[in-house]
Amino acid sequence: MELLPLLLMFGLLGVMMYFMSRRQRRAQEQQQALQNSLTVGDRVMTTSGLYGTVTDTDNEQTVSIEIAPGVETEWLRAAVREKVGPVEETDDAEDLEDADEVETVDSVDPETNEPAVKDAELESGKQK
């Protein structure tokens, strides 16, 4: 009778190990499929967090990744962690130019019918 709890414990342990290895095997197969599906022009992130664009996939073990314009490095396929979306380029120069423009204030003193604050006073920070 003492054999039954021992068999149940080993059976439960065996089932847990089966499901854990199945999950790990599935993740490994997905990673292998990703690394085999790399094509020129794919935007990728390496395991070290470096972003780049795949430029050469001729070798079975390595890929060439462009990390900056004109700078290509060679990486093991296993170092590619994931494909990422394309880079969204924003025009920061236009945003900075818009922020530097000074707006004029059109406020008028109702008693004297003169500008309440002159443009020159606005630029120097002085007020009436």
Side-chain angles (χ1 to χ4, degrees), residues 14 18 38 42 46 53-55 59 71 80 89 91-92 97 100 121:
Y18 169 75
L38 293 176
D42 286 342
T46 64
T53 305
V54 176
T55 58
N59 193 332
V71 180
V80 176
E89 295 184 15
D91 193 7
D92 293 334
E97 289 174 4
D100 291 338
E121 291 174 348

Side-chain angles (χ1 to χ4, degrees), residues 3-61:
L3 189 62
L4 184 61
L6 190 61
L7 285 175
L8 286 175
M9 189 169 57
F10 279 121
L12 184 61
L13 183 63
V15 169
M16 286 178 24
M17 289 178 60
Y18 169 75
F19 282 114
M20 288 173 50
S21 67
R22 183 175 165 210
R23 183 183 314 155
Q24 184 179 10
R25 190 174 349 145
R26 189 179 327 137
Q28 190 175 20
E29 288 172 357
Q30 287 176 341
Q31 189 68 19
Q32 186 69 34
L34 167 81
Q35 292 165 358
N36 290 334
S37 71
L38 293 176
T39 59
V40 174
D42 286 342
R43 183 106 172 111
V44 296
M45 181 178 76
T46 64
T47 54
S48 60
L50 186 73
Y51 290 90
T53 305
V54 176
T55 58
D56 184 24
T57 59
D58 292 339
N59 193 332
E60 289 183 18
Q61 298 295 319

